[in-house]
Amino acid sequence: MLIAKIIENDQLIQATQANNSEIYYCPGCKARVQLKKGNINIPHFAHINESNCDVSAEGETVNHLQGKLALFALFIQKYDEVRLEPWLSQIKQRPDLIVRKGMNWFVIEFQCAPISLEKVQARTSGYRQLNYKVIWILGENYQRKRLQARTFAKFTVIYQQQLQVAFWQLTRGLFWQAWWQLDGKSRVLNRQLVDNQPQQLLKLQQAVIQAKPEIWSIQNELYKIKRLVIGIPWECHPQYPLPGGLKVAQWQVIVRVLLTLEKQPRTMLQLLKIMTEFPWQRFECISVKKVQKLWLNYLLDDLMSRGLIKRTGDTIVLARTLKWFNTYQEKLQVLLKIDTTNFR
């Protein structure tokens, strides 16, 4: 830990400012802690005896300690108030940082080691009791391999109207990664046009041949109206990456939305109900309802840009007839004849 308490005057002090002449105590459990300051390790405090203290940060790596100090130095330049490792007695938790901008308070958790969904949920829930917004910043350990979607979802927030996670590197500082950039290696870019329609079609064909369970419901629904999964309109294949968070392929939701609009115009609220029919990742820092609304807005904006739908107030209307196909070959042939400008 980087903060300890001097019992005599109830003063909190950072390890970088402490000296061995004082006696220090843990702000949480009140047990004795020892100042560790040398030529190699970052100055910090550690419990003298083994402790079950909930706020103890024993075992913190040098990268974790360095990162916290660097984030503290960064945020103190940008926020009205920054507190390092404050002890929140009401919930018995000690976040890495809390920062204030105007009337808004944020908890910053700098996470380097793996952490379970349950622990993220418990800690985030505690901070919400105090009306703090929570941002998890992931250290370099999370950037050495491609993140699984369920891992990404634990720490995701809506930032700049995208689903993103914050990362920290000693050489790069603080940066954000969008959902479709799960490898954590490149900076967030503007959404780029997807240029892999033939690959999308092939993947769909393989899913049909393999009779994957996740497409059974949509397949049965289409059979009833004498249509085929493989023959879904090209507009159902996303031309831009959508925000993310779904546990099924994006085309399934797009098909369901367009089938609904084929029957009659729908309101945003009615289309949002469709979003709830699909499985989503478990989010802890934001509600899944906000993710679904963001996702639907992206989709509708894309469909509108292609002239497929139009809005009248809160009502969404299908603007032109959809082209369905009977075979894989017919669908692919049509794509090859389409001017690529139609996908821009």
Side-chain angles (χ1 to χ4, degrees):
M1 69 180 70
L2 298 175
I3 297 288
K5 179 177 283 191
I6 303 173
I7 292 294
E8 286 74 10
N9 57 16
D10 209 33
Q11 177 188 355
L12 291 175
I13 189 167
Q14 291 187 38
T16 52
Q17 300 170 341
N19 60 70
N20 289 313
S21 63
E22 293 281 359
I23 298 176
Y24 302 103
Y25 296 85
C26 173
C29 69
K30 306 298 189 295
R32 282 279 304 276
V33 293
Q34 179 181 3
L35 174 64
K36 295 195 172 184
K37 185 183 289 189
N39 296 324
I40 299 177
N41 293 327
I42 298 293
H44 64 283
F45 298 101
H47 285 76
I48 293 176
N49 300 315
E50 288 189 15
S51 171
N52 293 322
C53 174
D54 289 336
V55 298
S56 172
E58 316 295 9
E60 283 186 305
T61 64
V62 171
N63 285 342
H64 191 196
L65 293 168
Q66 283 180 330
K68 274 198 285 191
L69 289 173
L71 289 170
F72 176 77
L74 173 67
F75 291 139
I76 209 167
Q77 300 175 33
K78 298 185 176 183
Y79 288 83
D80 300 327
E81 186 175 350
V82 181
R83 299 178 190 173
L84 180 65
E85 293 185 346
W87 169 239
L88 306 178
S89 58
Q90 306 97 311
I91 56 174
K92 296 184 178 180
Q93 290 178 233
R94 179 172 58 86
D96 291 324
L97 297 160
I98 60 172
V99 302
R100 179 178 62 83
K101 190 75 169 179
M103 300 297 292
N104 297 314
W105 286 91
F106 299 84
V107 160
I108 307 295
E109 285 284 17
F110 180 52
Q111 192 65 34
C112 291
I115 184 172
S116 69
L117 179 67
E118 291 71 26
K119 286 186 177 180
V120 172
Q121 186 177 40
R123 285 161 69 175
T124 301
S125 176
Y127 301 137
R128 284 178 179 159
Q129 291 178 37
L130 303 180
N131 295 319
Y132 289 132
K133 297 178 181 179
V134 186
I135 298 175
W136 293 77
I137 299 177
L138 303 186
E140 295 192 26
N141 288 346
Y142 280 91
Q143 301 164 46
R144 292 172 183 162
K145 59 182 180 180
R146 185 178 177 86
L147 293 181
Q148 297 294 319
R150 64 178 180 271
T151 300
F152 207 69
K154 286 191 291 189
F155 309 109
T156 296
V157 296
I158 295 177
Y159 175 69
Q160 295 181 341
Q161 290 303 304
Q162 301 180 68
L163 289 184
Q164 298 197 54
V165 169
F167 290 88
W168 170 265
Q169 283 183 7
L170 191 60
T171 54
R172 289 175 58 180
L174 180 65
F175 63 100
W176 291 85
Q177 208 68 38
W179 185 279
W180 53 81
Q181 297 172 306
L182 294 180
D183 61 4
K185 292 177 182 176
S186 57
R187 292 184 182 277
V188 174
L189 304 173
N190 293 328
R191 293 195 310 151
Q192 296 179 343
L193 190 71
V194 173
D195 191 23
N196 65 344
Q197 282 75 23
Q199 290 89 337
Q200 289 184 38
L201 180 58
L202 179 60
K203 191 173 181 179
L204 179 58
Q205 173 81 326
Q206 291 170 341
V208 171
I209 293 172
Q210 295 166 9
K212 290 191 173 181
E214 61 265 26
I215 68 169
W216 286 350
S217 61
I218 190 78
Q219 189 168 252
N220 291 335
E221 185 177 344
L222 290 175
Y223 278 161
K224 292 175 184 177
I225 55 176
K226 298 182 180 180
R227 289 173 175 173
L228 302 173
V229 170
I230 196 63
I232 62 175
W234 274 114
E235 290 85 352
C236 295
H237 298 271
Q239 66 170 354
Y240 288 99
L242 292 168
L246 268 174
K247 282 189 173 182
V248 297
Q250 297 178 153
W251 66 264
Q252 294 186 42
V253 182
I254 302 174
V255 168
R256 187 64 56 81
V257 167
L258 292 178
L259 283 173
T260 302
L261 290 175
E262 271 189 325
K263 296 174 184 177
Q264 65 183 71
R266 303 286 178 172
T267 64
M268 280 290 292
L269 193 60
Q270 289 170 324
L271 294 180
L272 274 172
K273 188 177 179 182
I274 296 174
M275 301 294 106
T276 66
E277 297 171 3
F278 291 89
W280 296 79
Q281 297 291 339
R282 285 185 60 184
F283 296 91
E284 293 307 326
C285 298
I286 48 174
S287 72
V288 70
K289 288 183 179 180
K290 288 185 177 180
V291 175
Q292 291 165 350
K293 186 175 181 179
L294 180 71
W295 205 99
L296 179 60
N297 280 327
Y298 266 81
L299 171 61
L300 296 180
D301 285 346
D302 284 351
L303 295 178
M304 197 176 305
S305 71
R306 301 165 80 173
L308 188 58
I309 64 169
K310 59 182 179 180
R311 286 188 181 184
T312 305
D314 189 48
T315 302
I316 314 301
V317 181
L318 199 62
R320 58 182 170 84
T321 303
L322 296 169
K323 170 65 177 175
W324 291 78
F325 302 94
N326 295 316
T327 65
Y328 174 94
Q329 290 76 14
E330 177 194 0
K331 185 172 177 178
L332 183 60
Q333 212 169 30
V334 167
L335 175 68
L336 297 177
K337 293 178 182 178
I338 295 176
D339 188 332
T340 55
T341 57
N342 290 338
F343 288 93
R344 297 188 183 277

